[in-house]
Amino acid sequence: MTSPAPAPPPPHTRPAPWVRTRLRAAPLTALLGAVLAFVAVLLAAGLPRALDRGSDQALRSFLRDQGPGFTSLLATAQAEPGARTPEGSDSVRSLLLSRTGKDFAVAPDGPVSGTRAVKPRTLTNPGLPSPYEVAPQMSLLYLRDLSAHTRLVDGRWPDGGTPDGPIPIALSQGAADTLGVKVGTVLDPTPSISGPLSARIVGVYRVDDPADPFWTDLLCATRACLNGSRKQYWQTSAVVGPDGADRLASWGERAEYFWRLPVDTDILRADRLPAVKEAVASYVAGPTATDLTVESRRPDLRITSRLPELLARAEARRQAAAPLAAIGPAGVVGVALVVFFLAAGLSGDRRLAELRLLLARGGSRSSIVRRVLAEGAVSVLPAAALATAAAVLLLPTPRLLPALLAAAAVTLVLLTAFPVRVFVLLSPPRPPAPRRRLVAELLVLAATGAAVFEVRERGVAPAGQGVDPLLVAAPLLLALAGGLLLARIQPPLVGALARAVGRRRGVVGFLGATRAARGSGDRARPPVLPLIALLLAVTTGGFGATVLAGVESARERVARLDVGGDAQVASPAGVPVPKALAKAAGELPGVRASLTLWADADAYVFDTDRGSVKVTVIVADPVAYAEISRTVGRGRFDPALLAGGSPAAVPALFSEDLVGKVTDGTHRVRFANDEELLAKPVARIDGTPLLQGSGKGVIVLPAGTATARIPKGAPPTHWLAVGSIDDGALREVVRTHAGPAADRYLVRTSAATVAKLADDPLQRSASRLFWASLAGAAGFAALAVLLTLARATPERAALLARLRTMGLRPRQGVALILVESLPQAVTAALGGGLIAAAAVALLGPAVDLTTLVGSAVPTGLGVLVRPVLAQSLGLAALVALTVLAEAAVSGRRQITTELRAGDRR
């Protein structure tokens, strides 16, 4: 019998790859990890790019609003005596342009250059318009590339003319119409030491676009300008041809070259602002200016500009807004970190048995950590790369490095959170250290107290110092300290609630409160991280919302003080406010109180310790004027004080600066129309709504009593009102009732002033960033709640399955989940609201809202109940909906699974 042939050896099989096996075993977990990584990295990479875009838009808008005259570089040099040609000016122009382009560039419209007579000449031709009997003036200049911005409508362009004849000039059509001159007119100036000289109009041109930046600082070359303060006169500029530039010095005593280089503000970047400031300063008065003087061989070359000052103001604005704008993103970062740690803890707890089995079968901690790291990299890295690319494409901006660094930092945290948790779980157990947590909590409390004390002691970091880390970190530290404190307080409070509920009928409330007090599984207390995440979201949201609400309140206050109420109509000098206009305006929707008043700014009060003092006298109805003063918050008084009066004197309110100069007796008040009356001070006021500031030298008289003693009467000069008044409706009333003089009326409303103050890209960017950060923080807070619920899902499902066998209804199961989960949400909402209010009370005195308001306001921020309460209740509602959705969607399915599979624990 032959022995059977030996069996062939089994084929060599390689073990399945770890990563592929894990991804096939838990595809949903890998997908959720990738989604979390995508969202987190997208926010991280998009934040610095959004900040850059907002800062760049704010910088460009701020400089654009200043006008091209303030954002240009103006170079001048004295023109050489003798014959002059444009070539001498063009060589310097090319040299000036050669030193731009690195840190700043010239606007696409290009530079404006030419030659101009330094002084204008007064024209003596009879018949020229001469308001206030002041003759018009005219200056001469040569403009390079003039024909590209104008169109000749009559005559020809000027040439050099004859040496002894009139200077050929071209005049704008607007100036020719105003002065009443035409082609062929010879304009004779006043005699000068240069001898007899005249100018002949040989052409009339029309400007293509008077708003073209080419005409900046040259508006009198587009039309005739009305100059002068008291005695006004017409002034214009005429242009000469290239061959007539050598005669400009004879007209204006001397001539000078000028080159205006408009800086292209549309390409400036906030992150490069220090380099631009340095380059512009060097160009104006520094090494670059010295080199230009030497290379041009013009020692008198002078370069001036307001741009360095404007760049410094723009940088100060950005730095002042940076600390407040960084609070929202800092809150998102804090909540996101908590979520990452919770996700790592959830994954570690669920895979603890698997990891210990691998360790027991010979695997080392380092090899297991490497495999877990590779497993996470497969899902995290592609999602992070895709999120970074999406942020770069959705938010285009030149700077790429900050976005890459932020994305890399978040990706690193996402990759290492779970491996670090695995390393800790597989480490040998350490002996219990009950004081370790206490020491850590005391350190957090100490750091919080130090940060708050330092911010209150020194205030916010001054402008130019960047983001104040203490101001940003203090609310987060307060939330962290509050979370640790509430984590200590919550279990006994909920335990007491459980004992109180246990005395009543029903088991759902007792079981839910008991589980909420002791936590789930083998934990002795509820987890701290979800509570900290909720507190961070509520605290930063409440603090930021309070800042924005304070900004809006300050804007309204500034607008009212600036307008003198919610609406003001001031009539032109010498024209009273029509009664029909005042009546129609007072009947507008939203008007709560209105009045007409007479203001005389050229009145005098006599019999003071300094003799006569110039004052502003206001004659108004006491009741309506008191209501407006109370609403505005300036010049408050009791209207009963101005009631009555003696036959000899009229009761009057004197401003505080006059109280020390007058006695309690009567004082003679003389108006600008030479009328007089006697006034007796009855109270002092701190100003008047009609005037900004403290209102120095103000006297308020009651309308009825005062006007009865003034024979010529007191015609109303102003209309004031308070209430919700529409700016367009008020202007329409003025146009309807003021007639042809409507354009001369000054119409102002607080609503329009508030809109103007808020129309600032820097403020809008900070507001949008905060609300986006708040949405991100709320989303991560809800995710933290979901992770906490998912962490307790197995044990809770087993409990509910057992209770189902004892008669627990499905609806009662959902109620049990809600009762178990909501105490933490309620604690976070109440505690977060209190901590947010405490943060505002502790840090508010150091907060300066001037930059966000758009006008100077006192430093300080008060506690506002509405924004804090809105954030607290909003997050509590979000958490409640999250818990309810999780309980309704997954609770019944988990219970059914447990009932079918049995309890395997």
Side-chain angles (χ1 to χ4, degrees):
M1 183 177 180
T2 59
S3 61
H12 178 70
T13 58
R14 298 180 58 187
W18 169 272
V19 175
R20 187 182 66 185
T21 303
R22 285 299 311 166
L23 292 179
R24 287 183 174 179
L28 182 59
T29 302
L31 178 62
L32 293 178
V35 171
L36 177 61
F38 179 85
V39 173
V41 175
L42 180 64
L43 292 176
L47 176 61
R49 298 182 71 81
L51 288 174
D52 282 351
R53 286 168 58 87
S55 299
D56 292 345
Q57 292 174 2
L59 170 65
R60 295 164 187 171
S61 176
F62 172 73
L63 295 178
R64 196 182 303 118
D65 290 343
Q66 308 303 314
F70 282 9
T71 58
S72 297
L73 304 170
L74 179 63
T76 58
Q78 186 173 353
E80 307 92 339
R84 304 174 190 88
T85 58
E87 287 74 13
S89 172
D90 291 347
S91 61
V92 179
R93 179 176 179 269
S94 301
L95 179 62
L96 293 172
L97 289 174
S98 66
R99 292 306 186 97
T100 63
K102 182 180 179 181
D103 294 304
F104 65 93
V106 176
D109 296 333
V112 180
S113 60
T115 312
R116 61 190 175 192
V118 173
K119 293 185 178 180
R121 297 281 291 272
T122 302
L123 302 178
T124 61
N125 298 61
L128 295 179
S130 303
Y132 297 97
E133 298 183 355
V134 179
Q137 295 182 357
M138 184 176 72
S139 60
L140 299 183
L141 73 159
Y142 162 72
L143 286 175
R144 188 179 186 272
D145 300 329
L146 175 66
S147 59
H149 302 272
T150 57
R151 181 168 56 90
L152 193 65
V153 296
D154 192 12
R156 60 179 175 83
W157 289 112
D159 52 15
T162 59
D164 298 331
I167 303 175
I169 62 172
L171 202 63
S172 67
Q173 189 175 38
D177 294 341
T178 301
L179 298 180
V181 296
K182 59 182 179 179
V183 172
T185 302
V186 177
L187 300 175
D188 298 317
T190 54
S192 67
I193 58 175
S194 60
L197 191 65
S198 60
R200 182 187 300 274
I201 302 175
V202 299
V204 175
Y205 62 86
R206 178 181 297 168
V207 176
D208 293 336
D209 182 12
D212 189 341
F214 179 86
W215 300 107
T216 300
D217 301 331
L218 300 172
L219 289 179
C220 291
T222 65
R223 53 180 172 80
C225 306
L226 195 61
N227 290 344
S229 55
R230 299 185 62 183
K231 293 187 176 183
Q232 296 181 327
Y233 59 92
W234 292 108
Q235 181 175 353
T236 188
S237 297
V239 297
V240 301
D243 299 332
D246 57 343
R247 306 181 68 180
L248 294 177
S250 301
W251 183 275
E253 296 186 4
R254 60 186 178 88
E256 68 176 10
Y257 295 121
F258 68 92
W259 304 268
R260 183 171 60 82
L261 279 63
V263 175
D264 190 358
T265 59
D266 291 336
I267 63 173
L268 295 182
R269 291 163 44 186
D271 62 293
R272 294 188 54 81
L273 200 53
V276 175
K277 287 169 52 181
E278 183 179 353
V280 173
S282 176
Y283 200 100
V284 173
T288 304
T290 303
D291 294 342
L292 290 172
T293 302
V294 173
E295 295 178 20
S296 64
R297 298 180 181 178
R298 295 181 182 272
D300 61 336
L301 181 67
R302 296 184 59 222
I303 304 175
T304 59
S305 178
R306 295 286 299 276
L307 192 56
E309 175 189 345
L310 294 178
L311 294 178
R313 287 173 55 190
E315 179 68 10
R317 281 163 41 87
R318 187 176 71 89
Q319 298 289 359
L324 300 179
I327 292 176
V332 176
V333 171
V335 180
L337 286 176
V338 172
V339 170
F340 297 161
F341 297 152
L342 278 173
L346 174 62
S347 299
D349 290 349
R350 288 198 166 182
R351 296 179 58 180
L352 180 59
E354 170 197 344
L355 296 173
R356 287 179 176 173
L357 180 61
L358 292 174
L359 187 64
R361 290 185 174 181
S364 62
R365 282 190 302 169
S366 59
S367 64
I368 296 175
V369 168
R370 284 197 303 269
R371 291 175 182 272
V372 171
L373 183 62
E375 173 188 337
V378 172
S379 58
V380 170
L381 291 181
L386 184 61
T388 305
V392 171
L393 293 176
L394 294 176
L395 299 171
T397 187
R399 206 160 57 135
L400 185 60
L401 183 60
L404 294 180
L405 292 178
V410 173
T411 303
L412 182 63
V413 173
L414 287 168
L415 280 176
T416 57
F418 182 49
V420 169
R421 176 63 176 169
V422 170
F423 185 84
V424 172
L425 289 175
L426 298 181
S427 299
R430 291 181 297 179
R435 296 184 179 180
R436 186 184 303 152
R437 177 181 175 182
L438 179 60
V439 172
E441 292 174 349
L442 291 177
L443 288 176
V444 171
L445 291 176
T448 304
V452 172
F453 175 80
E454 184 66 17
V455 171
R456 288 182 60 89
E457 186 70 17
R458 65 163 174 78
V460 181
Q465 300 298 320
V467 176
D468 189 345
L470 281 182
L471 182 64
V472 176
L476 303 182
L477 289 174
L478 284 171
L480 179 59
L484 297 176
L485 182 62
L486 288 177
R488 292 276 188 178
I489 297 175
Q490 178 186 348
L493 291 180
V494 180
L497 177 63
R499 289 190 295 273
V501 173
R503 300 188 186 98
R504 304 181 62 182
R505 297 180 59 184
V507 72
V508 173
F510 174 73
L511 283 178
T514 302
R515 288 176 56 81
R518 69 173 181 83
S520 59
D522 56 355
R523 289 188 297 271
R525 57 176 63 90
V528 180
L529 287 180
L531 183 61
I532 292 177
L534 297 176
L535 285 176
L536 285 172
V538 175
T539 302
T540 55
F543 188 85
T546 303
V547 170
L548 295 183
V551 168
E552 293 180 1
S553 176
R555 282 195 194 125
E556 294 176 358
R557 185 166 59 252
V558 167
R560 273 184 169 172
L561 291 174
D562 186 41
V563 174
D566 290 317
Q568 178 188 146
V569 177
S571 63
V575 179
V577 176
K579 292 183 178 180
L581 189 154
K583 180 181 179 184
E587 294 174 352
L588 286 174
V591 175
R592 191 173 71 249
S594 66
L595 84 159
T596 56
L597 57 85
W598 178 46
D600 188 347
D602 295 320
Y604 285 86
V605 60
F606 296 90
D607 307 323
T608 71
D609 59 356
R610 298 182 184 178
S612 62
V613 177
K614 188 176 182 179
V615 295
T616 298
V617 176
I618 296 175
V619 180
D621 175 71
V623 177
Y625 183 77
E627 173 63 18
I628 292 178
S629 298
R630 183 192 63 79
T631 304
V632 174
R634 181 190 289 155
R636 298 184 182 92
F637 69 97
D638 184 1
L641 296 173
L642 296 181
S646 65
V650 177
L653 304 174
F654 279 57
S655 59
E656 294 177 343
D657 62 307
L658 293 176
V659 172
K661 303 174 184 177
V662 299
T663 62
D664 293 335
T666 60
H667 298 272
R668 188 161 48 98
V669 178
R670 177 182 295 173
F671 299 96
N673 57 9
D674 294 330
E675 291 189 310
E676 294 185 359
L677 56 74
L678 293 178
K680 178 179 177 58
V682 296
R684 64 180 183 178
I685 54 177
D686 61 356
T688 171
L690 194 63
L691 301 177
Q692 299 183 24
S694 58
K696 291 184 178 180
V698 175
I699 297 178
V700 178
L701 302 175
T705 309
T707 53
R709 306 190 184 207
I710 305 176
K712 297 181 182 179
T717 59
H718 294 77
W719 178 83
L720 293 180
V722 291
S724 301
I725 303 170
D726 182 69
D727 184 80
L730 180 60
R731 293 182 182 275
E732 181 61 30
V733 167
V734 174
R735 282 192 295 268
T736 302
H737 294 85
D743 294 338
R744 299 170 57 195
Y745 279 73
L746 177 64
V747 181
R748 305 173 66 195
T749 60
S750 62
T753 305
V754 168
K756 184 178 179 181
L757 291 174
D759 188 20
D760 184 353
L762 184 66
Q763 303 170 21
R764 293 198 300 268
S765 174
S767 179
R768 286 196 302 265
L769 181 64
F770 166 74
W771 290 116
S773 301
L774 181 61
F780 278 117
L783 184 57
V785 174
L786 283 175
L787 290 174
T788 304
L789 294 174
R791 193 171 188 174
T793 294
E795 180 189 354
R796 186 177 62 222
L799 173 65
L800 293 177
R802 299 190 192 102
L803 294 176
R804 282 289 300 275
T805 61
M806 293 185 288
L808 184 73
R809 294 189 297 272
R811 184 176 300 177
Q812 290 177 315
V814 174
L816 177 61
I817 298 175
L818 289 175
V819 173
E820 176 186 348
S821 304
L822 287 183
Q824 191 174 56
V826 174
T827 302
L830 296 178
L834 293 176
I835 295 172
V840 175
L842 294 173
L843 306 175
V847 176
D848 186 3
L849 301 177
T850 296
T851 302
L852 295 181
V853 171
S855 179
V857 294
T859 301
L861 178 66
V863 178
L864 301 176
V865 177
R866 176 177 293 181
V868 174
L869 190 61
Q871 301 302 314
S872 302
L873 296 180
L875 190 64
L878 177 64
V879 172
L881 291 175
T882 302
V883 173
L884 182 61
E886 197 276 341
V889 172
S890 62
R892 183 174 300 181
R893 177 173 51 83
Q894 293 166 354
I895 294 173
T896 305
T897 302
E898 288 291 334
L899 289 174
R900 289 178 178 177
D903 187 6
R904 297 184 299 272
R905 293 165 181 79

